[in-house]
Short mmCIF file of all heavy atoms in Angstrom, two decimals:
data_model
loop_
_atom_site.label_atom_id
_atom_site.label_comp_id
_atom_site.label_asym_id
_atom_site.label_seq_id
_atom_site.Cartn_x
_atom_site.Cartn_y
_atom_site.Cartn_z
N SER B 1372 10.10 19.70 -32.45
CA SER B 1372 10.68 18.78 -31.48
C SER B 1372 11.87 19.44 -30.79
O SER B 1372 12.07 19.27 -29.60
CB SER B 1372 11.05 17.43 -32.10
OG SER B 1372 12.10 17.56 -33.01
N GLU B 1373 12.60 20.26 -31.53
CA GLU B 1373 13.71 20.96 -30.89
C GLU B 1373 13.20 22.03 -29.91
O GLU B 1373 13.74 22.20 -28.82
CB GLU B 1373 14.64 21.60 -31.95
CG GLU B 1373 15.44 20.55 -32.71
CD GLU B 1373 16.25 21.12 -33.89
OE1 GLU B 1373 16.68 22.28 -33.83
OE2 GLU B 1373 16.44 20.38 -34.88
N LEU B 1374 12.13 22.67 -30.31
CA LEU B 1374 11.54 23.67 -29.42
C LEU B 1374 11.01 22.99 -28.16
O LEU B 1374 11.24 23.45 -27.03
CB LEU B 1374 10.41 24.42 -30.13
CG LEU B 1374 9.68 25.47 -29.30
CD1 LEU B 1374 10.63 26.60 -28.91
CD2 LEU B 1374 8.49 26.05 -30.08
N ALA B 1375 10.30 21.89 -28.36
CA ALA B 1375 9.74 21.16 -27.22
C ALA B 1375 10.86 20.72 -26.28
O ALA B 1375 10.76 20.82 -25.07
CB ALA B 1375 8.96 19.93 -27.70
N ARG B 1376 11.94 20.28 -26.88
CA ARG B 1376 13.06 19.83 -26.07
C ARG B 1376 13.62 20.98 -25.23
O ARG B 1376 13.97 20.81 -24.07
CB ARG B 1376 14.15 19.25 -26.98
CG ARG B 1376 15.40 18.78 -26.30
CD ARG B 1376 15.10 17.62 -25.35
NE ARG B 1376 16.25 16.78 -25.12
CZ ARG B 1376 17.12 16.93 -24.12
NH1 ARG B 1376 16.95 17.88 -23.25
NH2 ARG B 1376 18.13 16.11 -23.99
N SER B 1377 13.71 22.15 -25.83
CA SER B 1377 14.31 23.25 -25.08
C SER B 1377 13.36 23.71 -23.97
O SER B 1377 13.80 24.10 -22.89
CB SER B 1377 14.69 24.40 -26.01
OG SER B 1377 13.56 25.14 -26.39
N ILE B 1378 12.08 23.63 -24.23
CA ILE B 1378 11.11 23.97 -23.19
C ILE B 1378 11.18 22.93 -22.07
O ILE B 1378 11.19 23.26 -20.88
CB ILE B 1378 9.68 24.02 -23.77
CG1 ILE B 1378 9.56 25.23 -24.72
CG2 ILE B 1378 8.64 24.08 -22.66
CD1 ILE B 1378 8.26 25.30 -25.47
N GLU B 1379 11.25 21.68 -22.48
CA GLU B 1379 11.31 20.62 -21.49
C GLU B 1379 12.54 20.77 -20.59
O GLU B 1379 12.47 20.55 -19.39
CB GLU B 1379 11.35 19.27 -22.21
CG GLU B 1379 11.21 18.08 -21.28
CD GLU B 1379 12.04 16.90 -21.74
OE1 GLU B 1379 12.09 16.62 -22.94
OE2 GLU B 1379 12.65 16.26 -20.86
N ASP B 1380 13.65 21.14 -21.20
CA ASP B 1380 14.87 21.29 -20.42
C ASP B 1380 14.71 22.32 -19.32
O ASP B 1380 15.06 22.09 -18.17
CB ASP B 1380 16.02 21.74 -21.34
CG ASP B 1380 16.66 20.56 -22.03
OD1 ASP B 1380 16.36 19.42 -21.64
OD2 ASP B 1380 17.44 20.79 -22.97
N ARG B 1381 14.17 23.46 -19.70
CA ARG B 1381 13.99 24.50 -18.71
C ARG B 1381 12.97 24.07 -17.68
O ARG B 1381 13.12 24.34 -16.48
CB ARG B 1381 13.54 25.79 -19.40
CG ARG B 1381 13.38 26.97 -18.48
CD ARG B 1381 14.68 27.32 -17.79
NE ARG B 1381 14.57 28.52 -16.96
CZ ARG B 1381 15.38 28.77 -15.94
NH1 ARG B 1381 16.36 27.93 -15.65
NH2 ARG B 1381 15.23 29.87 -15.23
N ALA B 1382 11.94 23.40 -18.13
CA ALA B 1382 10.89 22.93 -17.22
C ALA B 1382 11.49 21.97 -16.20
O ALA B 1382 11.18 22.03 -15.01
CB ALA B 1382 9.78 22.24 -18.00
N HIS B 1383 12.35 21.13 -16.68
CA HIS B 1383 12.97 20.15 -15.78
C HIS B 1383 13.78 20.85 -14.70
O HIS B 1383 13.72 20.48 -13.53
CB HIS B 1383 13.85 19.21 -16.59
CG HIS B 1383 14.55 18.18 -15.78
ND1 HIS B 1383 15.90 18.17 -15.58
CD2 HIS B 1383 14.06 17.12 -15.08
CE1 HIS B 1383 16.22 17.15 -14.79
NE2 HIS B 1383 15.14 16.50 -14.48
N GLU B 1384 14.51 21.89 -15.09
CA GLU B 1384 15.27 22.64 -14.11
C GLU B 1384 14.37 23.21 -13.02
O GLU B 1384 14.75 23.33 -11.88
CB GLU B 1384 16.00 23.81 -14.78
CG GLU B 1384 17.18 23.40 -15.64
CD GLU B 1384 17.78 24.60 -16.38
OE1 GLU B 1384 17.54 25.75 -15.94
OE2 GLU B 1384 18.46 24.39 -17.39
N LEU B 1385 13.16 23.56 -13.43
CA LEU B 1385 12.24 24.19 -12.50
C LEU B 1385 11.27 23.18 -11.89
O LEU B 1385 10.27 23.55 -11.28
CB LEU B 1385 11.46 25.29 -13.23
CG LEU B 1385 12.33 26.36 -13.90
CD1 LEU B 1385 11.51 27.22 -14.84
CD2 LEU B 1385 12.98 27.23 -12.83
N SER B 1386 11.55 21.91 -12.12
CA SER B 1386 10.71 20.83 -11.58
C SER B 1386 9.28 20.82 -12.12
O SER B 1386 8.34 20.50 -11.38
CB SER B 1386 10.67 20.87 -10.05
OG SER B 1386 11.92 20.53 -9.54
N TYR B 1387 9.14 21.18 -13.36
CA TYR B 1387 7.84 21.05 -13.99
C TYR B 1387 7.87 19.92 -15.01
O TYR B 1387 8.93 19.56 -15.51
CB TYR B 1387 7.48 22.35 -14.74
CG TYR B 1387 6.90 23.40 -13.84
CD1 TYR B 1387 7.72 24.17 -13.03
CD2 TYR B 1387 5.53 23.60 -13.78
CE1 TYR B 1387 7.20 25.13 -12.18
CE2 TYR B 1387 5.00 24.56 -12.93
CZ TYR B 1387 5.83 25.31 -12.14
OH TYR B 1387 5.30 26.26 -11.30
N ASN B 1388 6.72 19.39 -15.31
CA ASN B 1388 6.61 18.42 -16.40
C ASN B 1388 5.80 19.02 -17.53
O ASN B 1388 4.97 19.89 -17.32
CB ASN B 1388 5.93 17.13 -15.92
CG ASN B 1388 6.84 16.30 -15.05
OD1 ASN B 1388 6.55 16.07 -13.89
ND2 ASN B 1388 7.95 15.86 -15.61
#
Side-chain angles (χ1 to χ4, degrees):
Chain B
S1372 67
E1373 289 173 31
L1374 179 64
R1376 178 64 155 92
S1377 77
I1378 291 174
E1379 188 215 320
D1380 277 348
R1381 183 60 176 157
H1383 180 249
E1384 288 175 20
L1385 304 167
S1386 292
Y1387 278 79
N1388 287 118

